[in-house]
Amino acid sequence: MSSLNLQKEILSEKEKRNIDILEILRRHGPISRPDISKEMGVNVVTISSYIDEFIKQDLIYEKELDTSEGGRRPVLLDLNSQAGYVIGVGLNLMNMVGLLIDLKGNIITKTQIVRPRPSVKDIAECLLEIVREIFRRSKEYTPKIRGIGVGIAGLINKKNGSIHWPQKMDHCYTYASADFPLGDLLGKEFNLPVLIENDATAACFGEKWFVLNRDISNAIFMFSGVGCGIMINGDCYRGSQGYAGEVSISNYKEQDDFNCSLGNSCFIKHWEMDMGIVSDVKLMLAKDKEKAEKFFKLTSSNIDNVDLKSVFIAVRSRDEIALSVLEVAARRLGIKIAHLVNLLNPQTVVIGGGLEEAGDDFLSKVNFTVKSWAFREATDDLRIVYSQLRENAVALGAASLVMQKTFV
Protein backbone atom coordinates (compact mmCIF):
# COMPACT_ATOMS: atom_id res chain seq x y z
CA MET A 1 0.00 0.00 0.00
CA SER A 2 1.22 3.49 -0.82
CA SER A 3 1.84 6.22 1.74
CA LEU A 4 -1.33 7.82 3.08
CA ASN A 5 -2.40 11.35 2.24
CA LEU A 6 -4.42 12.25 5.33
CA GLN A 7 -5.07 15.81 4.22
CA LYS A 8 -7.00 14.85 1.09
CA GLU A 9 -10.65 15.89 1.44
CA ILE A 10 -12.11 15.60 -2.07
CA LEU A 11 -12.28 12.02 -3.33
CA SER A 12 -12.74 10.77 -6.87
CA GLU A 13 -15.64 8.46 -7.74
CA LYS A 14 -13.19 5.56 -7.90
CA GLU A 15 -11.86 6.35 -4.44
CA LYS A 16 -15.38 6.62 -3.03
CA ARG A 17 -16.22 3.21 -4.50
CA ASN A 18 -13.03 1.78 -3.01
CA ILE A 19 -14.23 2.92 0.42
CA ASP A 20 -17.75 1.59 -0.13
CA ILE A 21 -16.58 -1.88 -1.18
CA LEU A 22 -14.05 -2.23 1.60
CA GLU A 23 -16.54 -0.88 4.13
CA ILE A 24 -19.01 -3.60 3.13
CA LEU A 25 -16.26 -6.19 3.54
CA ARG A 26 -15.32 -4.75 6.93
CA ARG A 27 -18.89 -4.84 8.19
CA HIS A 28 -20.21 -7.99 6.51
CA GLY A 29 -17.26 -10.14 5.42
CA PRO A 30 -16.88 -12.89 4.53
CA ILE A 31 -19.16 -12.03 1.61
CA SER A 32 -19.38 -12.97 -2.07
CA ARG A 33 -18.94 -10.74 -5.12
CA PRO A 34 -22.65 -11.08 -6.09
CA ASP A 35 -23.71 -10.01 -2.59
CA ILE A 36 -21.42 -6.95 -2.72
CA SER A 37 -22.87 -6.16 -6.14
CA LYS A 38 -26.40 -6.41 -4.76
CA GLU A 39 -25.57 -4.28 -1.70
CA MET A 40 -24.07 -1.48 -3.83
CA GLY A 41 -26.31 -1.71 -6.89
CA VAL A 42 -23.24 -2.02 -9.12
CA ASN A 43 -22.78 -4.83 -11.66
CA VAL A 44 -20.64 -7.75 -10.55
CA VAL A 45 -18.09 -7.33 -13.40
CA THR A 46 -17.24 -3.84 -12.14
CA ILE A 47 -17.05 -5.09 -8.55
CA SER A 48 -14.70 -7.89 -9.61
CA SER A 49 -12.26 -5.45 -11.20
CA TYR A 50 -11.98 -3.60 -7.89
CA ILE A 51 -11.70 -6.86 -5.95
CA ASP A 52 -8.82 -8.06 -8.14
CA GLU A 53 -6.88 -4.89 -7.37
CA PHE A 54 -7.55 -5.21 -3.63
CA ILE A 55 -6.26 -8.80 -3.69
CA LYS A 56 -3.03 -7.61 -5.35
CA GLN A 57 -2.66 -5.02 -2.56
CA ASP A 58 -3.24 -7.72 0.09
CA LEU A 59 -6.18 -5.71 1.44
CA ILE A 60 -8.60 -8.61 0.96
CA TYR A 61 -8.33 -12.35 0.46
CA GLU A 62 -10.45 -15.21 -0.83
CA LYS A 63 -11.52 -17.87 1.62
CA GLU A 64 -13.76 -20.93 2.02
CA LEU A 65 -16.72 -21.39 -0.30
CA ASP A 66 -20.23 -20.42 0.69
CA THR A 67 -23.12 -22.88 0.46
CA SER A 68 -25.05 -22.75 -2.80
CA GLU A 69 -28.57 -23.65 -3.83
CA GLY A 70 -27.24 -25.03 -7.09
CA GLY A 71 -24.47 -24.49 -9.61
CA ARG A 72 -21.02 -23.20 -8.83
CA ARG A 73 -20.55 -22.00 -5.26
CA PRO A 74 -19.45 -18.37 -5.00
CA VAL A 75 -16.03 -17.60 -3.49
CA LEU A 76 -16.18 -15.65 -0.26
CA LEU A 77 -14.07 -12.55 0.27
CA ASP A 78 -12.92 -10.96 3.51
CA LEU A 79 -10.96 -7.92 4.58
CA ASN A 80 -7.41 -8.69 5.63
CA SER A 81 -7.53 -7.11 9.07
CA GLN A 82 -3.76 -7.57 9.48
CA ALA A 83 -2.86 -5.62 6.34
CA GLY A 84 -2.34 -2.53 8.47
CA TYR A 85 -2.85 -0.94 11.87
CA VAL A 86 -3.80 2.55 13.04
CA ILE A 87 -3.27 4.47 16.28
CA GLY A 88 -6.10 6.62 17.62
CA VAL A 89 -5.99 8.96 20.62
CA GLY A 90 -9.04 10.70 22.06
CA LEU A 91 -9.74 13.13 24.88
CA ASN A 92 -12.98 12.67 26.88
CA LEU A 93 -14.53 14.42 29.87
CA MET A 94 -12.80 12.09 32.33
CA ASN A 95 -9.80 10.54 30.56
CA MET A 96 -7.51 10.31 27.56
CA VAL A 97 -7.61 7.02 25.63
CA GLY A 98 -5.07 5.61 23.19
CA LEU A 99 -5.78 2.63 20.94
CA LEU A 100 -4.04 0.51 18.35
CA ILE A 101 -6.62 -1.07 16.02
CA ASP A 102 -6.51 -3.34 12.98
CA LEU A 103 -8.34 -2.65 9.70
CA LYS A 104 -11.52 -4.28 11.01
CA GLY A 105 -11.51 -2.02 14.05
CA ASN A 106 -10.48 -4.69 16.53
CA ILE A 107 -8.61 -3.17 19.48
CA ILE A 108 -5.10 -4.61 19.73
CA THR A 109 -3.76 -2.38 22.50
CA LYS A 110 -5.42 0.16 24.79
CA THR A 111 -3.90 2.61 27.23
CA GLN A 112 -5.54 5.46 29.13
CA ILE A 113 -4.84 8.10 31.76
CA VAL A 114 -6.95 10.48 33.82
CA ARG A 115 -7.78 13.62 31.83
CA PRO A 116 -4.81 16.01 32.13
CA ARG A 117 -5.06 19.64 33.15
CA PRO A 118 -6.81 21.83 30.56
CA SER A 119 -3.76 23.40 28.94
CA VAL A 120 -2.47 22.77 25.45
CA LYS A 121 1.03 21.94 26.77
CA ASP A 122 -0.14 19.37 29.36
CA ILE A 123 -2.52 17.68 26.97
CA ALA A 124 0.09 17.54 24.20
CA GLU A 125 2.68 15.99 26.55
CA CYS A 126 0.18 13.36 27.72
CA LEU A 127 -0.80 12.63 24.14
CA LEU A 128 2.81 12.08 23.11
CA GLU A 129 3.38 9.78 26.09
CA ILE A 130 0.30 7.70 25.27
CA VAL A 131 1.50 7.17 21.69
CA ARG A 132 4.98 6.25 22.97
CA GLU A 133 3.38 3.71 25.33
CA ILE A 134 1.40 2.15 22.49
CA PHE A 135 4.62 1.72 20.49
CA ARG A 136 6.39 0.22 23.52
CA ARG A 137 3.61 -2.35 23.91
CA SER A 138 3.15 -3.10 20.20
CA LYS A 139 6.62 -3.65 18.76
CA GLU A 140 5.53 -6.58 16.56
CA TYR A 141 2.90 -4.37 14.87
CA THR A 142 5.12 -1.30 14.33
CA PRO A 143 6.13 -2.04 10.70
CA LYS A 144 2.47 -2.08 9.64
CA ILE A 145 1.23 0.98 11.56
CA ARG A 146 -0.15 3.26 8.84
CA GLY A 147 -0.85 6.50 10.69
CA ILE A 148 -2.01 8.32 13.83
CA GLY A 149 -5.39 9.97 14.37
CA VAL A 150 -6.00 12.41 17.23
CA GLY A 151 -9.37 13.70 18.44
CA ILE A 152 -8.96 16.82 20.55
CA ALA A 153 -11.04 19.76 21.76
CA GLY A 154 -10.85 23.16 20.14
CA LEU A 155 -11.17 24.69 16.72
CA ILE A 156 -9.16 22.70 14.17
CA ASN A 157 -8.28 24.60 11.01
CA LYS A 158 -8.32 21.97 8.25
CA LYS A 159 -6.35 24.19 5.87
CA ASN A 160 -3.21 24.74 7.95
CA GLY A 161 -3.62 22.32 10.88
CA SER A 162 -3.59 25.03 13.56
CA ILE A 163 -5.48 24.46 16.80
CA HIS A 164 -7.38 27.16 18.64
CA TRP A 165 -7.77 25.92 22.20
CA PRO A 166 -10.55 27.13 24.58
CA GLN A 167 -9.00 28.96 27.52
CA LYS A 168 -10.81 30.60 30.43
CA MET A 169 -9.99 34.23 31.07
CA ASP A 170 -11.57 35.50 34.30
CA HIS A 171 -15.23 34.41 33.98
CA CYS A 172 -15.42 33.98 30.20
CA TYR A 173 -13.77 31.88 27.48
CA THR A 174 -11.61 32.77 24.54
CA TYR A 175 -9.83 30.65 21.93
CA ALA A 176 -6.06 30.84 21.89
CA SER A 177 -3.90 29.46 19.10
CA ALA A 178 -1.68 26.57 20.16
CA ASP A 179 1.92 27.74 20.29
CA PHE A 180 3.29 24.61 18.64
CA PRO A 181 2.20 22.37 15.73
CA LEU A 182 0.85 19.19 17.36
CA GLY A 183 0.60 17.25 14.10
CA ASP A 184 4.20 18.06 13.15
CA LEU A 185 5.45 17.01 16.60
CA LEU A 186 3.79 13.62 16.33
CA GLY A 187 4.79 13.14 12.69
CA LYS A 188 8.47 13.90 13.28
CA GLU A 189 8.80 11.74 16.40
CA PHE A 190 7.00 8.69 15.02
CA ASN A 191 7.67 9.15 11.29
CA LEU A 192 4.02 8.61 10.39
CA PRO A 193 1.25 10.67 8.78
CA VAL A 194 -0.92 12.36 11.42
CA LEU A 195 -4.53 13.53 11.28
CA ILE A 196 -5.81 16.01 13.89
CA GLU A 197 -9.59 16.24 14.22
CA ASN A 198 -12.07 17.91 16.56
CA ASP A 199 -13.14 15.47 19.28
CA ALA A 200 -16.89 15.62 18.57
CA THR A 201 -16.39 15.26 14.80
CA ALA A 202 -14.08 12.28 15.34
CA ALA A 203 -16.58 10.62 17.69
CA CYS A 204 -19.44 11.21 15.24
CA PHE A 205 -17.47 9.52 12.47
CA GLY A 206 -16.55 6.66 14.79
CA GLU A 207 -20.19 5.97 15.64
CA LYS A 208 -21.07 5.97 11.95
CA TRP A 209 -18.08 3.80 10.98
CA PHE A 210 -18.46 1.18 13.70
CA VAL A 211 -22.02 1.27 15.07
CA LEU A 212 -24.77 3.02 13.13
CA ASN A 213 -26.61 1.25 10.32
CA ARG A 214 -25.53 2.12 6.78
CA ASP A 215 -28.91 3.76 6.18
CA ILE A 216 -28.20 6.34 8.91
CA SER A 217 -26.67 9.19 6.95
CA ASN A 218 -27.73 12.23 9.01
CA ALA A 219 -26.63 12.26 12.64
CA ILE A 220 -25.36 14.46 15.46
CA PHE A 221 -22.84 13.39 18.10
CA MET A 222 -23.39 15.55 21.19
CA PHE A 223 -20.09 15.80 23.03
CA SER A 224 -21.34 16.92 26.44
CA GLY A 225 -23.17 20.16 25.72
CA VAL A 226 -20.12 22.01 24.46
CA GLY A 227 -19.81 20.89 20.86
CA CYS A 228 -21.23 18.44 18.38
CA GLY A 229 -20.10 16.35 15.46
CA ILE A 230 -22.35 16.66 12.41
CA MET A 231 -22.97 13.97 9.79
CA ILE A 232 -24.84 15.11 6.65
CA ASN A 233 -25.59 12.66 3.84
CA GLY A 234 -23.03 10.22 5.23
CA ASP A 235 -20.15 12.70 5.42
CA CYS A 236 -18.75 14.66 8.34
CA TYR A 237 -19.68 18.32 7.96
CA ARG A 238 -16.81 20.57 9.04
CA GLY A 239 -17.71 23.87 7.41
CA SER A 240 -15.55 25.98 5.10
CA GLN A 241 -12.51 26.03 7.41
CA GLY A 242 -13.19 23.13 9.76
CA TYR A 243 -14.90 24.98 12.61
CA ALA A 244 -18.47 23.65 12.32
CA GLY A 245 -20.07 22.03 15.35
CA GLU A 246 -19.46 24.68 18.00
CA VAL A 247 -22.88 25.20 19.56
CA SER A 248 -22.23 28.21 21.78
CA ILE A 249 -21.78 31.93 21.26
CA SER A 250 -20.04 34.44 23.50
CA ASN A 251 -19.08 38.09 23.76
CA TYR A 252 -16.95 38.80 26.82
CA LYS A 253 -17.88 42.50 26.69
CA GLU A 254 -21.55 41.70 27.28
CA GLN A 255 -21.14 38.42 29.19
CA ASP A 256 -22.91 39.59 32.36
CA ASP A 257 -26.01 40.61 30.41
CA PHE A 258 -26.31 37.21 28.74
CA ASN A 259 -28.29 35.06 31.16
CA CYS A 260 -31.56 33.14 31.40
CA SER A 261 -33.57 31.53 34.16
CA LEU A 262 -32.91 27.83 33.57
CA GLY A 263 -29.76 27.07 35.55
CA ASN A 264 -26.63 29.15 35.35
CA SER A 265 -26.40 29.54 31.61
CA CYS A 266 -28.43 29.86 28.45
CA PHE A 267 -28.47 26.92 26.09
CA ILE A 268 -26.45 28.87 23.52
CA LYS A 269 -24.00 30.33 26.05
CA HIS A 270 -20.57 28.74 26.52
CA TRP A 271 -20.77 25.88 29.05
CA GLU A 272 -18.15 24.14 31.12
CA MET A 273 -17.17 20.75 29.68
CA ASP A 274 -19.27 19.00 32.35
CA MET A 275 -22.24 21.37 31.79
CA GLY A 276 -21.71 22.81 35.28
CA ILE A 277 -22.71 19.52 36.93
CA VAL A 278 -19.81 19.41 39.41
CA SER A 279 -20.14 23.06 40.46
CA ASP A 280 -23.91 22.64 40.94
CA VAL A 281 -23.35 19.53 43.09
CA LYS A 282 -20.78 21.36 45.21
CA LEU A 283 -23.19 24.24 45.80
CA MET A 284 -25.90 21.86 47.02
CA LEU A 285 -23.46 19.90 49.19
CA ALA A 286 -22.36 23.12 50.89
CA LYS A 287 -25.97 23.89 51.81
CA ASP A 288 -26.87 20.56 53.44
CA LYS A 289 -24.36 18.92 55.78
CA GLU A 290 -26.38 15.72 56.28
CA LYS A 291 -26.82 15.07 52.55
CA ALA A 292 -23.19 16.01 51.98
CA GLU A 293 -21.97 13.37 54.44
CA LYS A 294 -24.09 10.75 52.68
CA PHE A 295 -22.71 11.81 49.28
CA PHE A 296 -19.08 11.73 50.46
CA LYS A 297 -19.54 8.29 52.01
CA LEU A 298 -21.07 6.91 48.79
CA THR A 299 -18.34 8.30 46.56
CA SER A 300 -15.27 8.23 48.86
CA SER A 301 -14.78 11.90 48.05
CA ASN A 302 -14.74 15.27 49.82
CA ILE A 303 -15.75 18.79 48.87
CA ASP A 304 -12.32 19.46 47.33
CA ASN A 305 -12.14 16.47 45.00
CA VAL A 306 -15.74 15.96 43.86
CA ASP A 307 -15.64 15.26 40.13
CA LEU A 308 -17.95 14.02 37.39
CA LYS A 309 -17.08 10.40 38.09
CA SER A 310 -18.12 10.70 41.74
CA VAL A 311 -21.42 12.35 40.69
CA PHE A 312 -22.20 9.39 38.40
CA ILE A 313 -21.36 6.94 41.21
CA ALA A 314 -23.79 8.80 43.45
CA VAL A 315 -26.49 8.71 40.78
CA ARG A 316 -26.25 4.94 40.52
CA SER A 317 -26.90 4.81 44.27
CA ARG A 318 -29.92 7.13 43.80
CA ASP A 319 -28.33 9.98 45.77
CA GLU A 320 -30.80 12.85 46.07
CA ILE A 321 -28.39 15.69 45.28
CA ALA A 322 -26.82 13.95 42.29
CA LEU A 323 -30.23 13.03 40.85
CA SER A 324 -31.51 16.58 41.28
CA VAL A 325 -28.50 18.17 39.56
CA LEU A 326 -28.55 15.69 36.67
CA GLU A 327 -32.25 16.29 36.07
CA VAL A 328 -31.56 20.01 35.55
CA ALA A 329 -28.52 19.20 33.39
CA ALA A 330 -30.62 16.86 31.24
CA ARG A 331 -33.17 19.64 30.67
CA ARG A 332 -30.43 22.07 29.65
CA LEU A 333 -28.92 19.56 27.25
CA GLY A 334 -32.34 18.61 25.89
CA ILE A 335 -33.15 22.22 25.01
CA LYS A 336 -29.82 22.62 23.22
CA ILE A 337 -30.36 19.38 21.29
CA ALA A 338 -33.93 20.44 20.39
CA HIS A 339 -32.51 23.56 18.74
CA LEU A 340 -30.08 21.42 16.71
CA VAL A 341 -32.82 18.94 15.79
CA ASN A 342 -34.97 21.75 14.40
CA LEU A 343 -31.97 23.14 12.52
CA LEU A 344 -30.50 19.91 11.09
CA ASN A 345 -33.33 17.32 11.28
CA PRO A 346 -31.06 14.31 11.97
CA GLN A 347 -32.13 10.68 12.09
CA THR A 348 -30.10 10.00 15.22
CA VAL A 349 -28.57 11.99 18.06
CA VAL A 350 -25.76 10.23 19.93
CA ILE A 351 -24.80 11.51 23.39
CA GLY A 352 -21.25 10.79 24.54
CA GLY A 353 -17.92 12.17 25.63
CA GLY A 354 -18.48 10.75 29.13
CA LEU A 355 -22.15 11.63 29.65
CA GLU A 356 -23.13 8.06 28.75
CA GLU A 357 -22.21 7.24 32.36
CA ALA A 358 -25.09 9.43 33.61
CA GLY A 359 -27.61 6.59 33.41
CA ASP A 360 -31.00 5.81 31.88
CA ASP A 361 -32.94 8.48 33.78
CA PHE A 362 -30.71 11.20 32.34
CA LEU A 363 -31.20 9.94 28.80
CA SER A 364 -34.97 9.64 29.28
CA LYS A 365 -35.14 13.23 30.56
CA VAL A 366 -33.10 14.48 27.59
CA ASN A 367 -35.38 12.58 25.22
CA PHE A 368 -38.52 13.98 26.85
CA THR A 369 -37.16 17.53 26.78
CA VAL A 370 -36.15 17.34 23.12
CA LYS A 371 -39.60 16.12 22.13
CA SER A 372 -41.21 18.84 24.25
CA TRP A 373 -39.18 21.67 22.68
CA ALA A 374 -38.49 20.61 19.08
CA PHE A 375 -41.02 20.46 16.26
CA ARG A 376 -43.05 17.25 16.48
CA GLU A 377 -42.42 16.55 12.80
CA ALA A 378 -38.64 16.60 13.41
CA THR A 379 -38.85 14.15 16.31
CA ASP A 380 -41.36 11.58 14.99
CA ASP A 381 -38.63 9.17 13.85
CA LEU A 382 -35.74 10.62 15.84
CA ARG A 383 -33.59 8.29 17.96
CA ILE A 384 -31.60 9.72 20.88
CA VAL A 385 -29.10 7.20 22.23
CA TYR A 386 -25.92 6.97 24.25
CA SER A 387 -22.65 6.29 22.48
CA GLN A 388 -22.09 2.55 22.17
CA LEU A 389 -18.36 3.17 21.79
CA ARG A 390 -18.39 4.96 25.16
CA GLU A 391 -14.94 6.14 26.35
CA ASN A 392 -13.34 4.79 23.15
CA ALA A 393 -15.53 6.88 20.82
CA VAL A 394 -13.11 9.74 20.13
CA ALA A 395 -10.03 7.51 19.81
CA LEU A 396 -11.84 5.01 17.56
CA GLY A 397 -13.26 7.85 15.48
CA ALA A 398 -9.85 9.47 15.00
CA ALA A 399 -8.35 6.09 14.09
CA SER A 400 -11.19 5.26 11.68
CA LEU A 401 -10.69 8.56 9.83
CA VAL A 402 -7.11 7.45 9.19
CA MET A 403 -8.29 3.94 8.33
CA GLN A 404 -10.69 5.31 5.73
CA LYS A 405 -7.71 6.83 3.91
CA THR A 406 -6.12 3.36 3.88
CA PHE A 407 -9.20 2.19 1.97
CA VAL A 408 -8.79 4.91 -0.68
Side-chain angles (χ1 to χ4, degrees), residues 41 119 179 304 335 365:
S119 75
D179 57 359
D304 295 321
I335 293 171
K365 188 65 179 181

Side-chain angles (χ1 to χ4, degrees), residues 29-161:
I31 187 172
S32 68
R33 286 175 173 82
D35 285 340
I36 297 173
S37 171
K38 189 184 300 181
E39 177 81 13
M40 292 186 61
V42 178
N43 72 72
V44 73
V45 175
T46 300
I47 293 297
S48 290
S49 67
Y50 281 84
I51 295 298
D52 292 341
E53 184 62 31
F54 295 146
I55 291 173
K56 289 178 185 176
Q57 296 175 24
D58 199 33
L59 269 175
I60 67 173
Y61 59 91
E62 298 175 320
K63 56 187 304 181
E64 74 272 8
L65 300 178
D66 195 3
T67 58
S68 175
E69 296 178 358
R72 184 178 179 181
R73 293 186 297 174
V75 175
L76 290 182
L77 304 160
D78 206 355
L79 184 67
N80 180 8
S81 62
Q82 299 176 10
Y85 301 89
V86 176
I87 292 173
V89 184
L91 190 62
N92 304 304
L93 290 177
M94 293 179 281
N95 57 23
M96 181 183 282
V97 175
L99 304 171
L100 176 70
I101 66 172
D102 66 20
L103 293 190
K104 279 200 170 184
N106 299 308
I107 296 174
I108 308 300
T109 299
K110 176 177 178 178
T111 184
Q112 65 185 73
I113 59 171
V114 174
R115 182 183 172 94
R117 290 179 300 176
S119 75
V120 178
K121 183 178 179 182
D122 288 334
I123 286 174
E125 287 176 355
C126 289
L127 194 153
L128 284 163
E129 187 52 42
I130 275 188
V131 177
R132 291 178 190 128
E133 178 63 19
I134 289 174
F135 273 98
R136 282 194 289 267
R137 293 165 55 183
S138 312
K139 294 186 185 302
E140 66 270 36
Y141 301 101
T142 298
K144 288 188 176 182
I145 295 178
R146 304 281 290 140
I148 301 170
V150 177
I152 194 167
L155 304 176
I156 314 298
N157 188 311
K158 301 302 290 184
K159 292 183 178 179
N160 60 25

Side-chain angles (χ1 to χ4, degrees), residues 283-294:
L283 283 173
M284 294 185 71
L285 291 172
K287 293 177 182 177
D288 194 316
K289 184 177 180 181
E290 184 178 339
K291 290 180 180 177
E293 288 178 355
K294 178 185 174 185

